[in-house]
Amino acid sequence: MLLLTNGTVITHDQENRIIKNGAVLIDGGEIKALGETELLKSKYSEAEVKDVEGKVIMPGMINTHMHIYSTFARGMDLKTDQPPRHFLEILEKMWWRVDSTLKADDIYFSALYAFLTGLKQGVTSVFDHHASYGQVRYSLDLIAKAVEELGIRADLCYEISDRNGPEQSQDSIAESENFLRKIREKNLDHLNGRIGLHASFTLEDETLEQVSALADDLDSSFHIHVAEGQTDLEDSRLRGYNGAVRRLDQYNIWRPGTMAIHGVHLQEGELEILRDNDCYLINNPESNMGNAVGAAPLKEALDKGLKVGLGTDGYTTDMFESIKFANLILKHQNRDPRLGWTEIPQMVFKTNAELATETFGPRLGVLEAGAAADIIVVDYKSPTEINSDNTYAHILFGINGGMVDTTIVKGRILMENREVQVVDDEKITHETGEQADDFWRRF
């Protein structure tokens, strides 16, 4: 057993309890007890003690939409005469060229570096949406290899699309099916998957019929971009539907657990379709602002009772950073400084945790007896009191991913005192850089 002592424990439980001079007892992959340090030290004297010296102890962060394959795009020359003018050109001139260039080593090192960076920033669970049309087959296995080496939790999918023609479309469906069947047989609590789809405007009716039938067979939900840019809306209207959600609804894409990503250009009645089918809307504020596509109707979605979570879309691996932007855009969009104080914590610490718990099995995103021991220690010593009413304000204004000191997943210490314990951090960074150079030459 491992006992984390002398910390300020932020539980994120139903009462949002704060335990000052608190301790958390880890037994195997679970939390066995929480309480004041001296009480737990005397009660569990046989436990190994790690004194966190006044730092914050809190649940690990959960990123509900990521693109690890974007790693090598950082600082890359697009080799084009004119920069992208709008979202569709961003896809055509950048991301679709990136994913068509990716080969096996690119996929593996992109995943290893991105997941490792997130781990160092306190991210313990990631929902990744992958595309690599330069190598479709076995691409998810390469990502899963990185997940296993690092010891994090991940939900993986391959982005099925018809944009490259029927042969690669069928390859992507086969990759999705093969990977899901393999991991379902293993019944893992750290690695899962669902069927990934790009977006309505790159999916033909026949493909939607095929993946819907596959989802029925595999008892799978979907992970899909929806109404991210204006193109999705315009394409749906050309097909006779007022919105991408309405079109996809005809093919039973909206089912319990399906993740609808972005939702910037949703039309009247579409929030209700997602809500009534027990789906999740995942917001990615930095990406939306960076691509200049607009802002999702978060307040309306939450008011209607839709489950709304928060991801990063590959823009960053730091969920603390995403929190700050989500808070700002919600206030700015509605011109109301009162917003954000309850909505963003609900998205990050409740809905993300609910989705992760449904996906992996153990109770995640909370520190309480019986919950999974996915825990981070943050080197944050506040000048003001931390209490049950103001934890979000401390996280919002005081904490960033670079302050994470220790990351624990399933009771295993992956990073301690800012030193990664499970892999050679410097070696991976060096090898990733060499692979990125090779990728840039081929791009």
Side-chain angles (χ1 to χ4, degrees):
M1 292 188 292
L2 174 65
L3 185 62
L4 306 177
T5 63
N6 296 315
T8 299
V9 181
I10 298 176
T11 63
H12 286 153
D13 64 8
Q14 285 191 332
E15 292 77 36
N16 200 30
R17 287 184 302 148
I18 302 297
I19 307 174
K20 299 177 182 179
N21 193 26
V24 178
L25 180 67
I26 299 169
D27 187 6
E30 289 189 353
I31 296 170
K32 184 170 183 177
L34 297 89
E36 294 183 358
T37 290
E38 293 309 315
L39 178 62
L40 263 62
K41 281 179 72 175
S42 63
K43 189 174 181 180
Y44 301 99
S45 57
E46 73 278 14
E48 176 188 351
V49 174
K50 174 178 169 59
D51 186 348
V52 306
E53 301 176 335
K55 300 179 179 73
V56 167
I57 304 171
M58 62 184 286
M61 300 299 285
I62 299 164
N63 185 349
T64 53
H65 182 66
M66 179 62 182
H67 290 295
I68 62 93
Y69 74 85
S70 66
T71 299
F72 291 165
R74 187 182 303 176
M76 184 178 64
D77 181 2
L78 293 185
K79 302 175 184 176
T80 181
D81 293 336
Q82 296 293 328
R85 297 168 298 171
H86 48 73
F87 179 58
L88 183 57
E89 284 196 356
I90 292 172
L91 295 177
E92 292 172 340
K93 292 188 174 186
M94 185 174 183
W95 296 119
W96 292 349
R97 290 173 60 201
V98 166
D99 75 55
S100 66
T101 307
L102 289 167
K103 299 295 184 184
D105 285 345
D106 306 318
I107 297 164
Y108 170 69
F109 280 105
S110 291
L112 200 58
Y113 184 86
F115 288 145
L116 175 60
T117 305
L119 180 160
K120 291 161 68 174
Q121 296 165 333
V123 175
T124 53
S125 297
V126 181
F127 290 71
D128 188 62
H129 194 273
H130 178 68
S132 56
Y133 281 96
Q135 177 167 332
V136 179
R137 296 297 179 95
Y138 307 113
S139 58
L140 295 180
D141 291 304
L142 292 166
I143 300 170
K145 181 172 183 268
V147 171
E148 297 286 358
E149 290 177 17
L150 293 171
I152 62 169
R153 298 185 202 265
D155 182 83
L156 307 180
C157 72
Y158 191 95
E159 177 187 288
I160 296 167
S161 174
D162 290 312
R163 64 178 178 267
N164 297 313
E167 183 176 344
Q168 287 207 319
S169 175
Q170 291 305 307
D171 282 348
S172 63
I173 293 172
E175 172 64 9
S176 299
E177 179 177 1
N178 293 338
F179 179 76
L180 287 176
R181 291 196 187 280
K182 275 187 291 190
I183 60 169
R184 295 288 172 83
E185 290 175 358
K186 297 177 181 178
N187 194 29
L188 304 170
D189 66 357
H190 67 280
L191 184 63
N192 204 346
R194 62 194 73 212
I195 298 175
L197 302 173
H198 174 243
S200 176
F201 76 95
T202 70
L203 291 162
E204 299 303 327
D205 295 348
E206 295 79 11
T207 300
L208 289 171
E209 290 174 353
Q210 185 177 353
V211 297
S212 183
L214 180 61
D216 291 340
D217 182 36
L218 294 173
D219 190 25
S220 175
S221 56
F222 294 95
H223 187 163
I224 178 173
H225 304 110
V226 60
E228 179 178 4
Q230 193 73 19
T231 305
D232 225 10
L233 174 60
E234 293 170 354
D235 177 81
S236 296
R237 286 177 172 168
L238 287 172
R239 296 175 188 265
Y241 303 94
N242 187 30
V245 168
R246 291 192 181 280
R247 180 191 176 218
L248 296 167
D249 192 37
Q250 304 302 308
Y251 300 93
N252 195 27
I253 301 302
W254 309 123
R255 55 183 72 200
T258 285
M259 301 164 60
I261 313 302
H262 297 292
V264 174
H265 296 278
L266 294 175
Q267 301 303 294
E268 185 176 353
E270 292 192 317
L271 288 170
E272 289 86 346
I273 292 173
L274 296 177
R275 178 199 64 199
D276 294 345
N277 285 284
D278 201 21
C279 298
Y280 290 85
L281 175 65
I282 307 299
N283 185 37
N284 303 272
E286 286 180 280
S287 171
N288 292 339
M289 285 187 276
N291 289 329
V293 294
L298 294 186
K299 185 176 185 303
E300 184 181 357
L302 291 164
D303 287 347
K304 290 180 182 296
L306 178 58
K307 295 184 291 189
V308 183
L310 185 69
T312 67
D313 198 35
Y315 201 94
T316 180
T317 52
D318 187 350
M319 281 297 295
F320 291 105
E321 181 180 309
S322 194
I323 287 171
K324 299 179 196 309
F325 278 83
N327 178 75
L328 291 173
I329 194 63
L330 183 62
K331 288 173 164 60
H332 178 75
Q333 178 188 14
N334 293 278
R335 294 178 171 82
D336 189 345
R338 296 170 297 178
L339 296 177
W341 300 106
T342 58
E343 295 89 349
I344 307 304
Q346 172 69 34
M347 291 163 56
V348 180
F349 304 120
K350 301 302 180 186
T351 305
N352 277 13
E354 178 184 343
L355 176 56
T357 298
E358 287 179 2
T359 299
F360 299 107
R363 205 173 339 140
L364 296 170
V366 62
L367 301 187
E368 60 185 18
D374 288 19
I375 302 169
I376 59 175
V377 177
V378 183
D379 191 4
Y380 174 65
K381 297 172 184 176
S382 172
T384 59
E385 181 187 38
I386 301 176
N387 58 50
S388 296
D389 295 325
N390 69 12
T391 54
Y392 173 62
H394 283 279
I395 291 169
L396 178 64
F397 296 115
I399 294 177
N400 61 66
M403 299 166 72
V404 175
D405 170 271
T406 299
T407 302
I408 300 171
V409 178
K410 298 174 65 174
R412 180 188 181 195
I413 297 177
L414 307 183
M415 180 177 75
E416 185 173 21
N417 302 324
R418 293 292 302 162
E419 293 287 335
V420 176
Q421 304 295 307
V422 289
V423 293
D424 187 332
D425 186 2
E426 291 187 4
K427 182 173 183 286
I428 287 172
T429 300
H430 174 72
E431 291 176 347
T432 300
E434 289 187 333
Q435 190 62 38
D437 288 344
D438 180 66
F439 179 84
W440 280 17
R441 284 191 291 270
R442 287 180 280 114
F443 178 77

